[in-house]
Amino acid sequence: MSYFEPEAKVFACSQSKELAEKIAKHYGVELGKVTFSHYSDGEFQPSFEESIRGLRVFLVCSTFPSADNLMELLLMCDAAKRASARHITAVIPYFGWARQDRKDKPRVPIGAKLVAKMLETAGATRVMTMDLHADQIQGFFEKPVDHLYASTIFLPYVQSLGLENLTIASPDMGGSKRAYAYAKYLESEVVVCYKQRKKANVIDTMELIGDVQGRNVILVDDMIDTGGTLAKAADVMMERGALSVRAICTHAILSGNAVDKIENSSLTELIVTDSIPLKKESSKIRVLSCAELFADVMHMVQNNTSISDKFIM
């Protein structure tokens, strides 16, 4: 390798190792060796077990709770910086704390901004992520951010279903832009759910803006947490005469009894990526891997080529 094209290596945090192994395989390298030493009080320390001096390192770590995942990534960035890595790219398929992107009431933090600053301070020279909860989070970083879209993965699958009378739906007003983008590409109609919450993760009322009578509906969202919104939306749409309701969600958080809610809902299928390890299997949940997408973009970053052909909408 020339000085301007440093060799690349891929490493993983402990909870993202399965996805990282897939990414490394598609990239064409072995997953790098890193060990974690644990103290009796829960403190841990990562250690790269091979030289990374002068190299580009890709650190694969989704920062879903617990906070240990984020802390692992921060410590690995710091270790790579101190081991003289030339470039440190934090590959974060799921960017946690992204729902804290603004002050929506007094005396609360902007968690996404804080995480961005911590990553930069730890040594990350570039960030690669997918389907941020809010696009403006890219502006929280002073380093380059490659924001990928899971539509590259989902749209071919939707087209393979061959559904007639297709309607794309947003489960809330905030996701309408995403729904319209999918609908434009698929040349389909759009409906939007309007919901009001009593508190976080608890829906008070939900209304449907648009007609789903005799339509095959696909709900589109960036993440599914408790599953309450999608389950409620699916039930409302079936009551309004929809032929079927499916859901596309990039990040399968699926906390609490979310999987049971999906199983007992009117949803025909929930399609997600493997940005977060699936906690529980379900006959209604289909997982599409994002490993090839990340590996391809990592190659493009390594070779300093444009990644624009990975955006299909």
Side-chain angles (χ1 to χ4, degrees):
M1 287 284 183
S2 70
Y3 177 76
F4 295 102
E5 295 179 347
E7 181 186 347
K9 291 187 177 182
V10 181
F11 297 90
C13 295
S14 57
Q15 297 300 313
S16 297
K17 189 172 182 180
E18 183 176 349
L19 174 58
E21 286 175 341
K22 295 178 186 176
I23 292 174
K25 182 178 180 180
H26 283 291
Y27 190 88
V29 297
E30 293 288 330
L31 189 63
K33 297 177 181 178
V34 58
T35 60
F36 289 88
S37 301
H38 291 264
Y39 296 89
S40 58
D41 64 350
E43 181 183 337
F44 52 85
Q45 180 186 59
S47 172
F48 294 99
E49 298 301 310
E50 53 192 277
S51 176
I52 55 175
R53 181 178 296 274
L55 308 183
R56 181 190 296 278
V57 294
F58 293 102
L59 307 178
V60 181
C61 183
S62 284
T63 55
F64 55 93
S66 68
D68 283 359
N69 290 312
L70 174 59
M71 195 64 193
E72 280 188 19
L73 180 57
L74 293 172
L75 289 172
M76 289 178 71
C77 285
D78 187 73
K81 176 178 66 177
R82 297 176 189 281
S84 300
R86 188 174 175 207
H87 298 291
I88 303 168
T89 301
V91 181
I92 313 173
Y94 171 68
F95 186 89
W97 282 266
R99 285 174 282 189
Q100 300 181 45
D101 63 307
R102 66 197 185 283
K103 285 188 68 175
D104 56 357
K105 62 179 182 180
R107 299 176 295 280
V108 296
I110 303 178
K113 171 72 171 180
L114 176 61
V115 170
K117 286 302 179 185
M118 287 193 295
L119 285 167
E120 290 179 343
T121 301
T125 58
R126 191 181 197 97
V127 171
M128 190 179 299
T129 188
M130 180 174 65
D131 279 3
L132 287 167
H133 187 64
D135 288 349
Q136 65 265 24
I137 291 173
Q138 298 172 74
F140 293 169
F141 290 90
E142 299 302 325
K143 305 296 183 182
V145 177
D146 298 306
H147 184 206
L148 312 183
Y149 294 94
S151 55
T152 308
I153 304 165
F154 290 137
L155 284 170
Y157 177 76
V158 172
Q159 290 174 317
S160 73
L161 295 175
L163 297 174
E164 297 181 354
N165 301 320
L166 179 64
T167 291
I168 300 298
S170 172
D172 53 40
M173 301 298 290
S176 58
K177 179 181 177 182
R178 183 181 297 106
Y180 278 108
Y182 272 78
K184 182 179 179 180
Y185 185 88
L186 295 168
E187 299 179 343
S188 66
E189 297 182 4
V190 179
V191 298
V192 177
C193 296
Y194 174 71
K195 64 184 179 182
Q196 291 182 319
R197 293 187 185 275
K198 291 182 178 179
K199 58 181 180 179
N201 296 132
V202 179
I203 300 172
D204 187 9
T205 61
M206 178 177 287
E207 297 295 335
L208 188 61
I209 304 173
D211 184 20
V212 294
Q213 179 74 39
R215 312 291 297 183
N216 288 299
V217 182
I218 296 182
L219 285 152
V220 180
D221 209 351
D222 64 312
M223 65 175 70
I224 175 171
D225 190 351
T226 64
T229 296
L230 289 182
K232 178 71 173 177
D235 292 342
V236 169
M237 289 176 182
M238 292 301 291
E239 290 171 3
R240 300 289 178 88
L243 297 177
S244 67
V245 182
R246 290 174 171 81
I248 287 173
C249 295
T250 305
H251 309 297
I253 301 172
L254 296 174
S255 57
N257 63 343
V259 174
D260 294 330
K261 288 182 183 178
I262 296 303
E263 284 281 1
N264 298 323
S265 73
S266 300
L267 283 171
T268 300
E269 186 178 35
L270 170 64
I271 306 111
V272 300
T273 73
D274 54 356
S275 63
I276 299 175
L278 203 60
K279 297 177 182 177
K280 182 179 178 182
E281 299 292 331
S282 168
S283 59
K284 284 192 175 184
I285 300 178
R286 176 179 292 272
V287 180
L288 305 180
S289 182
C290 59
E292 187 172 358
L293 171 62
F294 275 98
D296 289 347
V297 174
M298 286 159 57
H299 265 299
M300 293 170 178
V301 168
Q302 170 68 357
N303 296 320
N304 296 309
T305 57
S306 172
I307 68 171
S308 58
D309 65 346
K310 288 298 176 184
F311 301 97
I312 61 177
M313 69 174 210

